[in-house]
């Protein structure tokens, strides 16, 4: 889940033209994500309040559970990707994922203790894990290869807009009805149902037939099964790992993930450096989100023009610059704004660009599995990074821990730059 | 399915779902309004002057339905069932000592919930206000009214995008020196110097010497009772599995909640003798998630959720020596303080 409380600046006119250039399926999936994120971020925003004020629980132990769920969601993502590839049932598996999460909202109305709440949240994460890679596969399959960066950009911008609207909706409801958590859960359930409905009505059941160019590209990359088959076996999925280009991308995503410290730590470091007042602290994710929202589409389009590798690496360059500023820049009023802008730029240049790049090298029949592989690897690496960073912070303090991450990120980015360097011709991959 | 049919289905569903959603909001808004109307058979509450220096009164946050729900009220300590006198002050959590009060408030904004701590004089007028980093949890004032402490839950501070940590602050109302976060104190855990990123403090209780306090330290999945010194900026662990300590008026014992099973949210109310470190489980069999309050040297009071009324609490009392049975002290009440 995204961090609660993201901003929603208006999309510009340039964005609107870009949106018109992506397929209806991408827009429909973007709408589904936008609606679903409103629903899920409504819950994320009020859950702490609900636990403490509404239920009177002291939720310290939730942190452990949350880490566990993230691990589970990663593994479920692999399952979702593979199930979707079997018989090309992307919409079905994504629909199951969205449906499962939607089902959790009314369940929240009847859960009043920690154990059922934990079970419901686990179910919600399972739904999220299931739907992620089939959805991304559908986006890539319904976009021309040369416009995939923009397609993912449009999707991520819509997704972030939903994440921003969720908390606002929730807090507006709580203003109408004091302690109206049931109302928040109920409305969230209605919104989630609407998301599932939009998916059922407006996302085509099967992705469009492969175009000749994409087919050739797929066959060039496929080691096992040169011609597209109706069903994909587990063995073929495992064989995906033999694709050198996919291995390279997965490896680089993991390597960079290992040095990408989690958002919460970035905001904490910023607070330590600048001394941001406590009441502004919850608003820091808004800064990152608004830049992400503004830049996702133009940066995605840029990645299509100048190459995804360059933009992806530049995104990590922005993050590295952010680390450097956190370490050495004088603590002025501008620092939080600059760091948050760089942080948002990092997300805009990587979050949608990576799946677009993965789609280029994975054959259509295995698209979901391939995307899941990279997604799971990245999530796992980021989780390990959080643990390691927390330990380093404890042992050496925040400055040295961040310096270590920055050096690591620089090394990983240089390695990724070398590993992902363009080949003379795609056929030499073998 | 034709595009027109699809749009029709969507339009009808949007109207239906919007109606259901509006129903939920109206229902909860109505329930919130009902909370502000007095219920038959409920306690009598009248507006009046609440002064923290009035002798022999019990102060608390009113939870009974009526116009003064969530307001700070007082009753005679020897007649807790008597008429409640309500102030105009509304708090999530309240505590008082020797004419100094602390009120933790939540104000609902459009983007976030704003939380603040108000430090009050004896007439409940705000002397200072402090913005809080999270959701109010515990509040305490030292017996002489000099030191004030509060604990809040802060979201998004832990490992792996996890949920929660606590932040505990101590304020000296004589110098207005604020220690914003006890985590800056040096920690001696089991005899050794200790520091971890997941150090969390909560539930301070003050001793009578204007320096010593007790609190809970949570780290690496364990909770400890710590004794701290404000002047030396340090804490030392005493025993494990002691949460939300509350020091008896004579300073010899600590009432606390003891976790029954590791990882579970079940606590048993227990009293620890500070000289012998002997623990005595109290007669209350329900799980108690509150910082207890000593009514005198032999009785403690604590809040339990009102059965069948989510979000409301009753105050109960039980002998502090493990005998007797729990008895309801005040229905629809929370956050007690002996003033």
């Amino acid at each position: 889940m995204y961090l609660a409380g993201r901003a929603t600046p208006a999309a510009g006119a340039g964005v609107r033209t870009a949106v018109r250039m992506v397929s209806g399926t991408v827009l429909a999936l973007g709408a589904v994500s936008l609606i679903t994120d409103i629903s899920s971020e409504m819950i994320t925003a009020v859950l702490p309040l609900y636990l403490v004020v509404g239920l009177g629980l002291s939720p310290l132990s939730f942190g452990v559970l949350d880490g566990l769920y993230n691990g589970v969601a990663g593994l479920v993502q692999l399952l979702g990707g593979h199930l979707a590839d079997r018989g090309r049932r992307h919409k079905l598996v994504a629909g199951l994922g969205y449906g499962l999460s939607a089902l959790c909202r009314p369940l929240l109305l009847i859960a009043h203790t920690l154990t059922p709440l934990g079970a419901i949240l686990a179910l919600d994460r399972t739904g999220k894990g299931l739907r992620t890679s089939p959805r991304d596969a559908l986006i890539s399959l319904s976009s021309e290869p040369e416009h995939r960066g923009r397609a993912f950009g449009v999707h991520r911008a819509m997704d972030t807009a939903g994440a921003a609207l969720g908390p606002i909706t929730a807090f507006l409801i709580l203003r109408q009805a004091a302690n109206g958590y049931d109302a928040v859960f109920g409305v969230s359930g209605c919104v989630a149902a609407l998301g599932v409905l939009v998916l059922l009505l407006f996302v085509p059941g099967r992705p469009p037939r492969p175009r000749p160019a994409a087919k050739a590209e797929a066959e060039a990359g496929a080691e096992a099964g040169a011609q597209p088959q109706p069903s994909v076996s587990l063995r073929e999925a495992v064989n995906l790992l033999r694709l050198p280009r996919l291995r390279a991308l997965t490896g680089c995503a993991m390597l960079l993930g290992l040095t990408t410290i989690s958002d919460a730590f970035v905001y904490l470091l910023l607070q330590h450096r600048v001394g941001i007042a406590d009441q502004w602290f919850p608003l820091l994710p808004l800064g990152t989100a608004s830049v992400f929202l503004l830049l996702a589409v133009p940066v995605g389009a840029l990645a299509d023009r100048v190459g995804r590798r360059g933009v992806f690496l530049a995104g990590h360059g922005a993050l590295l610059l952010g680390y450097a500023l956190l370490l050495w820049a004088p603590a002025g009023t501008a620092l939080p704004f600059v760091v948050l802008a760089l942080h948002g730029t990092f997300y805009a240049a990587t979050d949608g660009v990576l799946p677009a790049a993965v789609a280029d090298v994975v054959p259509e029949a295995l698209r979901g599995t391939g995307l899941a592989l990279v997604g799971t690897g990245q999530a796992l690496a980021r989780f390990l990074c959080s643990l390691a960073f927390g330990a380093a912070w404890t042992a050496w303090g925040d400055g040295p821990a961040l310096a270590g991450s920055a050096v690591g990120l620089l090394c990983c980015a240089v390695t990724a730059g070398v590993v992902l360097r363009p080949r003379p011709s795609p056929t030499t991959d073998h | 399915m034709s595009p027109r049919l699809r749009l029709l289905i969507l339009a009808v569903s949007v109207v239906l779902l919007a109606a259901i959603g509006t129903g939920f909001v109206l229902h909860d808004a109505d329930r919130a309004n009902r909370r502000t109307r007095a219920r038959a058979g409920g306690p009598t509450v009248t507006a009046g002057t609440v002064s923290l220096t009035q002798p022999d009164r019990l102060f608390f946050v009113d939870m009974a339905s009526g116009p003064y729900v969530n307001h700070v009220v007082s009753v005679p300590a020897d007649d807790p069932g008597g008429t409640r006198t309500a102030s105009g002050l509304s708090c999530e959590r309240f505590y008082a000592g020797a004419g100094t009060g602390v009120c933790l408030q939540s104000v609902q904004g459009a983007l976030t919930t704003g939380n603040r701590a108000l430090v009050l004089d004896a007439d409940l007028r705000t002397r200072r206000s402090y913005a809080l980093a999270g959701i109010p949890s515990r509040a305490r004032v030292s017996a002489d009214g000099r030191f004030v402490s509060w604990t809040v839950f802060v979201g998004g501070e832990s490992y792996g995008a996890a949920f929660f940590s606590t932040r505990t602050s101590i304020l000296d109302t004589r110098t207005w020196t604020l220690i914003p976060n006890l985590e800056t104190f040096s920690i001696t855990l089991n005899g050794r110097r200790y520091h971890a990123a997941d150090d969390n403090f909560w539930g301070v209780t003050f001793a009578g010497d204007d320096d010593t306090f007790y609190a809970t330290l949570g780290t690496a999945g364990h909770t400890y009772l710590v004794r701290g010194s404000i002047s030396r900026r340090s804490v030392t662990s005493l025993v494990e599995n002691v949460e939300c300590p509350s020091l008896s008026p004579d300073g010899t014992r600590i009432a606390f909640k003891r976790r029954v099973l590791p990882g579970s949210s079940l606590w048993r109310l227990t009293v620890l003798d500070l000289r012998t470190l002997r623990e005595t489980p109290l007669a209350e069999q329900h799980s108690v998630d509150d910082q207890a309050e000593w009514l005198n040297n032999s009785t403690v009071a604590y809040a339990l959720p009102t059965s069948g009324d989510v979000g409301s609490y009753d105050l109960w009392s039980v002998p502090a020596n493990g005998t007797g049975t729990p008895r309801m002290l005040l229905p629809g009440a929370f956050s007690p303080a002996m003033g």
Side-chain angles (χ1 to χ4, degrees), chain A residues 380-425:
Chain A
L380 192 72
R382 284 192 176 165
F383 183 62
L384 287 177
C385 174
S386 280
L387 292 179
F389 189 82
W393 185 324
T394 305
W396 305 312
D398 54 352
L402 182 61
S405 306
V407 172
L409 179 58
L410 184 63
C411 297
C412 292
V414 170
T415 312
V418 174
V419 171
L420 297 177
R421 72 187 176 282
R423 304 294 166 88
S425 151

Side-chain angles (χ1 to χ4, degrees), chain A residues 170-189:
Chain A
F171 287 120
L172 285 178
I173 291 173
L174 287 184
R175 279 184 89 155
Q176 283 305 309
N179 290 319
Y181 298 102
D182 284 354
V184 174
F185 299 150
V187 171
S188 171

Side-chain angles (χ1 to χ4, degrees), chain A residues 60-153:
Chain A
L60 280 171
S61 51
F62 248 78
V64 184
L65 277 180
D66 200 55
L68 190 73
Y69 294 158
N70 282 330
V72 171
L75 293 177
V76 173
Q77 193 178 343
L78 274 177
L79 181 74
H82 180 65
L83 283 181
D85 284 342
R86 278 177 175 253
R88 294 162 68 78
R89 283 174 304 197
H90 298 87
K91 183 182 169 179
L92 176 71
V93 178
L96 283 177
Y98 281 110
L100 198 59
S101 293
L103 210 66
C104 293
R105 312 285 182 255
L107 289 182
L108 281 173
L109 288 169
I110 50 172
H112 292 307
T113 50
L114 203 54
T115 315
L117 263 172
I120 292 167
L121 291 188
L123 207 62
D124 181 75
R125 294 301 170 87
T126 307
K128 189 175 172 58
L130 266 184
R131 70 186 177 239
T132 305
S133 23
R135 180 201 64 206
D136 279 359
L138 276 174
I139 294 173
S140 78
L141 291 172
S142 57
S143 310
E144 325 244 328
E146 59 273 23
H147 289 143
R148 270 184 204 139
R150 175 164 45 209
F152 276 106

Side-chain angles (χ1 to χ4, degrees), chain A residues 213-395:
Chain A
K215 203 168 178 178
E217 165 201 293
E219 280 164 14
E223 189 90 357
Q227 58 255 58
Q229 291 174 343
S231 174
V232 175
S233 71
L234 198 61
R235 184 195 183 84
E236 285 169 279
V238 174
N239 275 347
L240 255 187
L241 282 170
R242 289 211 203 141
L243 291 177
R245 207 64 187 158
L246 180 64
R247 267 211 316 257
L249 272 171
T250 312
C252 288
M254 290 186 75
L255 211 55
L256 289 163
L258 276 175
T259 46
T260 306
I261 62 176
S262 78
D263 297 3
F265 279 129
V266 171
Y267 305 136
L268 266 185
L269 284 161
L270 203 53
Q271 194 186 30
H272 279 220
R273 277 291 271 111
V274 194
I276 293 161
D278 282 338
Q279 70 267 38
W280 300 117
F281 189 77
L283 297 180
L284 293 183
L286 289 172
T288 302
S290 32
V291 176
F292 184 14
L293 183 57
L294 280 175
L295 293 185
V297 180
V299 172
L302 184 74
D304 289 334
R305 265 211 308 281
V306 304
R308 287 167 191 134
R309 166 182 171 271
V311 170
F312 183 68
L313 291 175
H316 285 88
L319 185 65
L320 190 61
L321 190 58
Y323 287 2
L325 289 177
L326 276 175
L327 278 168
W328 295 302
T333 13
L335 186 63
F337 293 96
V338 178
V339 170
L340 292 180
L342 287 167
H343 197 224
T345 309
F346 158 70
Y347 274 113
T350 55
D351 199 53
V353 172
L354 180 63
V358 173
D360 289 344
V361 300
V362 179
E364 291 203 5
L366 293 165
R367 194 60 58 77
T369 316
L371 285 163
L373 200 65
V374 178
T376 302
Q378 190 181 40
L380 192 72
R382 284 192 176 165
F383 183 62
L384 287 177
C385 174
S386 280
L387 292 179
F389 189 82
W393 185 324
T394 305

Side-chain angles (χ1 to χ4, degrees), chain A residues 41-63:
Chain A
E41 290 306 315
M42 281 174 76
I43 305 291
T44 312
V46 303
L47 205 55
L49 272 170
Y50 177 64
L51 289 174
V52 180
V53 180
L55 297 188
L57 297 172
S58 61
L60 280 171
S61 51
F62 248 78

Side-chain angles (χ1 to χ4, degrees), chain B residues 245-260:
Chain B
S246 177
L247 193 63
S248 62
D250 60 14
T252 61
R253 286 154 299 156
I254 274 179
F256 68 98
K257 53 181 215 178
R258 187 177 162 280
R259 199 183 285 270
V260 179

